[in-house]
Amino acid sequence: FKFKYGDTWSDGVENHNFPGIKWVDDDEDGNSNITLPAGIYDFYYKKATNQVYIAAVYLRDVTNTWGTICLPHASTSFSGAKFYEVSSLDPTKGLWLDEIEAEAQLVAGKPYVFEATASTIKVTYTDEAVATPVEGANGLTGTFTDIAAAEDGVLVGNYIIGGNKVHVATAQNDLPANRAYIDAALVPN
């Protein structure tokens, strides 16, 4: 891609910070190369400031209405789902959730329950990744990596959301990356 800043091609683009992106002015003439990790990006042009913004995008195709998500980046925008925090758990009545306002950002590393409103969830972000998920989200425990069934029974006895149901995980359950499980012992009653 080639972007023109200002009235000439030689206007510099150095000193811009984006997640995982390094601007390199190869020959000090204002022409810069951008190194991007593999991914999907949205490019925005702001005419008032004559700047181009790059935002990385997380996409997930969903087949079930309900699921969990935990991303290492804070969102700048999202679409395709309503997001919820865990409020409390009543073993006889179920899981109680608090909806995140549509204008709010998703917090980096914080797990959420989602209700899909489209076949694809899109979360756009521009910040640096956090190293580990946030702890203490009312029993909702996130992961950035896959949790295999064989991993010391991490999931066994905890709740997972699958097939639009909340159910108790067994030794055969896996949990893909960027998901969450519910530790019932940590959920307020």
Side-chain angles (χ1 to χ4, degrees):
F1 296 94
K2 188 160 185 159
F3 297 103
K4 180 176 151 185
Y5 283 71
D7 296 328
T8 67
W9 285 106
S10 62
D11 287 352
V13 295
E14 303 80 24
N15 303 319
H16 295 273
N17 295 312
F18 300 100
I21 299 170
K22 183 174 178 166
W23 296 91
V24 179
D25 189 353
D26 290 1
D27 51 15
E28 297 184 14
D29 66 354
N31 293 319
S32 299
N33 293 325
I34 306 170
T35 303
L36 297 172
I40 299 170
Y41 297 87
D42 284 347
F43 290 81
Y44 301 93
Y45 174 71
K46 187 172 182 181
K47 187 175 182 179
T49 60
N50 202 31
Q51 292 179 311
V52 173
Y53 297 91
I54 301 172
V57 178
Y58 170 83
L59 296 174
R60 184 193 299 175
D61 291 331
V62 290
T63 54
N64 293 309
T65 303
W66 292 92
T68 57
I69 190 168
C70 184
L71 299 174
H73 300 276
S75 70
T76 54
S77 66
F78 56 81
S79 63
K82 294 179 182 178
F83 294 93
Y84 301 88
E85 294 177 307
V86 171
S87 174
S88 61
L89 176 68
D90 182 329
T92 61
K93 295 182 182 177
L95 190 63
W96 296 91
L97 304 171
D98 292 325
E99 185 175 355
I100 303 298
E101 296 294 326
E103 305 81 36
Q105 289 189 15
L106 302 181
V107 175
K110 186 173 182 178
Y112 297 93
V113 173
F114 69 79
E115 177 185 13
T117 57
S119 60
T120 301
I121 295 173
K122 178 181 179 182
V123 179
T124 304
Y125 59 90
T126 58
D127 66 336
E128 294 294 330
V130 296
T132 57
V134 175
E135 292 184 22
N138 277 350
L140 196 58
T141 304
T143 180
F144 298 149
T145 59
D146 294 344
I147 297 177
E151 289 186 32
D152 300 324
V154 170
L155 298 174
V156 175
N158 290 308
Y159 293 92
I160 56 176
I161 298 175
N164 289 326
K165 296 178 183 176
V166 177
H167 58 91
V168 178
T170 67
Q172 288 74 40
N173 288 118
D174 293 327
L175 191 66
N178 300 117
R179 307 294 200 279
Y181 62 92
I182 303 164
D183 184 339
L186 300 177
V187 180
N189 288 327

